Amino acid sequence: MTNVLITGAGGQIGTELRLMLCETYGNDHVIASDIRKSDTVDTLLDVTNARDIEHMIKENNINTIFHMAAVLSATGEKQPELAWQVNMNGLWNVLESARKCGVKKVFFPSSIAVFGPDVPRKNCPQNVSLHPTTLYGINKVSGELLSQYYYEKYGLDVRSIRYPGLISYKAMPGGGTTDYAVEIFYEAIKSQHYTCFVRKDTRLPMMYMSDAIRATIDIMNAERKNLTVQGAYNIAAMHFSAEELVSEIQKHIPQFTCEYSPDERQAYADSWPDSVEDSHARKDWSWQPEYDLAAMVSDMITQISHKMK
Ligand code: AKB
């Protein structure tokens, strides 16, 4: 019997992950926790409180944890102490509670933010030196290493993916650099105009949420012996510049216009690669994306237009 705990279940990924996990294991076997109450959250849990995590695991016989609670890149630069507390102490608490309580598997979300400006911009390889310049990126590199340490020292089966920017319509992202790629759809549909906080030539790796959820489930279901990457897997689906995203949206909403007013988030975006290489994920656990730019834009416009009616 799989009994799952999700932390950060009210967030952009957690919201959709919960739906998929409930479908797979049944509502009674999934505890969706977050620091804030919302429709997608069953119970309050602050990941900076180790005792509460342990209690939650024991009370519900949890054997699998998806630890999605995190402070993203832009908020992390504004509130570094909070980022450290949630991203580092939160992960420590989850791994330590999991180890003590005999949890079988933990998922830790890493990010393209682990890369710094010194990596190849195009098709950034799996194995490169990691010198991130954002605190969030530093947290994610440390998180990858800590997860690996728990696996090697204690045999705790921690699995991880380096998510690209994620695009979705069920829940809004919050506090990230790649948020423009979601906000733009709401403004395109509502007011046919968007002021984008990165330059038009800013190109980043991106992915539609349904692909990201499938990747998360697939890596957790993979045979451990097939996982050759210690740490977190690169996964890729699409990459585009802000200007290319605008052009694709204009195919559906011709009157849509966009102006560019870069703010401090431009520097975070500039420190990340344009695209990543994901052959390890494709080979080890058959990773394959379904959505490209055109399919993602078309679905986002359909879904958000429907939601806004
Ligand atoms: C962010 O922009 O901070 C996140 C990420 C790339 O991990 N979406």
Side-chain angles (χ1 to χ4, degrees):
M1 187 76 69
T2 303
N3 291 320
V4 178
L5 171 66
I6 312 171
T7 69
Q12 190 196 10
I13 310 175
T15 298
E16 298 203 28
L17 185 62
R18 172 182 165 268
L19 293 173
M20 185 56 87
L21 292 171
C22 284
E23 225 173 78
T24 311
Y25 300 113
N27 292 354
D28 294 347
H29 296 279
V30 178
I31 308 281
S33 75
D34 202 289
I35 195 161
R36 270 173 237 99
K37 200 98 197 88
S38 78
D39 291 350
T40 62
V41 169
D42 307 319
T43 183
L44 294 179
L45 180 65
D46 175 356
V47 295
T48 65
N49 187 327
R51 264 215 321 243
D52 286 357
I53 300 174
E54 242 185 272
H55 181 72
M56 186 79 69
I57 294 173
K58 285 183 184 150
E59 277 281 284
N60 300 285
N61 293 319
I62 297 297
N63 47 30
T64 305
I65 302 178
F66 290 82
H67 174 44
M68 312 313 284
V71 170
L72 299 189
S73 53
T75 304
E77 295 305 306
K78 287 203 185 105
Q79 299 183 65
E81 199 178 332
L82 176 72
W84 194 268
Q85 287 294 333
V86 174
N87 296 347
M88 293 317 312
N89 296 347
L91 176 62
W92 171 269
N93 291 338
V94 166
L95 294 177
E96 196 47 17
S97 308
R99 177 187 74 79
K100 284 193 202 155
C101 301
V103 167
K104 285 208 183 74
K105 281 188 202 168
V106 178
F107 179 81
F108 163 67
S110 190
S111 159
I112 52 156
V114 294
F115 300 115
D118 56 344
V119 299
R121 311 312 301 161
K122 287 194 178 57
N123 291 325
C124 179
Q126 174 70 48
N127 296 311
V128 284
S129 297
L130 301 175
H131 298 130
T133 50
T134 62
L135 181 61
Y136 173 68
I138 292 169
N139 293 161
K140 291 297 182 191
V141 173
S142 312
E144 287 189 11
L145 292 171
L146 190 63
S147 302
Q148 209 175 316
Y149 177 82
Y150 265 77
Y151 177 59
E152 273 154 22
K153 183 152 176 145
Y154 303 115
L156 180 64
D157 188 356
V158 191
R159 302 178 181 203
S160 185
I161 279 170
R162 290 173 181 156
Y163 288 123
L166 296 179
I167 299 166
S168 67
Y169 59 88
K170 288 193 181 142
M172 290 302 277
T177 300
T178 58
D179 294 9
Y180 65 90
V182 177
E183 289 171 5
I184 195 169
F185 287 96
Y186 287 86
E187 293 307 317
I189 292 164
K190 206 168 60 190
S191 58
Q192 290 82 56
H193 185 74
Y194 181 58
T195 304
C196 184
F197 59 76
V198 294
R199 281 189 323 267
K200 63 182 175 184
D201 63 345
T202 306
R203 177 178 298 279
L204 284 172
M206 297 278 182
M207 184 176 288
Y208 202 32
M209 187 59 85
S210 65
D211 277 336
I213 297 297
R214 194 164 39 77
T216 308
I217 305 282
D218 285 355
I219 194 177
M220 287 298 267
N221 287 338
E223 292 271 356
R224 181 79 220 193
K225 66 173 169 36
N226 294 340
L227 302 181
T228 60
V229 169
Q230 303 303 324
Y233 278 86
N234 282 6
I235 53 168
M238 60 184 100
H239 56 91
F240 48 77
S241 65
E243 190 176 35
E244 284 166 1
L245 177 59
V246 169
S247 301
E248 194 59 42
I249 294 173
Q250 282 167 337
K251 291 183 188 164
H252 301 260
I253 308 171
Q255 66 279 31
F256 174 55
T257 54
C258 185
E259 65 189 297
Y260 300 89
S261 176
D263 65 17
E264 70 284 352
R265 289 168 282 191
Q266 182 68 56
Y268 319 148
D270 287 344
S271 75
W272 301 338
D274 294 358
S275 58
V276 300
E277 187 278 328
D278 64 354
S279 56
H280 289 75
R282 287 176 189 253
K283 184 165 156 284
D284 289 0
W285 44 278
S286 309
W287 157 246
Q288 184 80 49
E290 280 173 4
Y291 282 83
D292 60 9
L293 173 62
M296 176 277 287
V297 167
S298 169
D299 201 49
M300 280 292 280
I301 291 177
T302 308
Q303 300 291 352
I304 296 173
S305 305
H306 183 71
K307 222 168 102 168
M308 283 166 88
K309 263 189 199 141

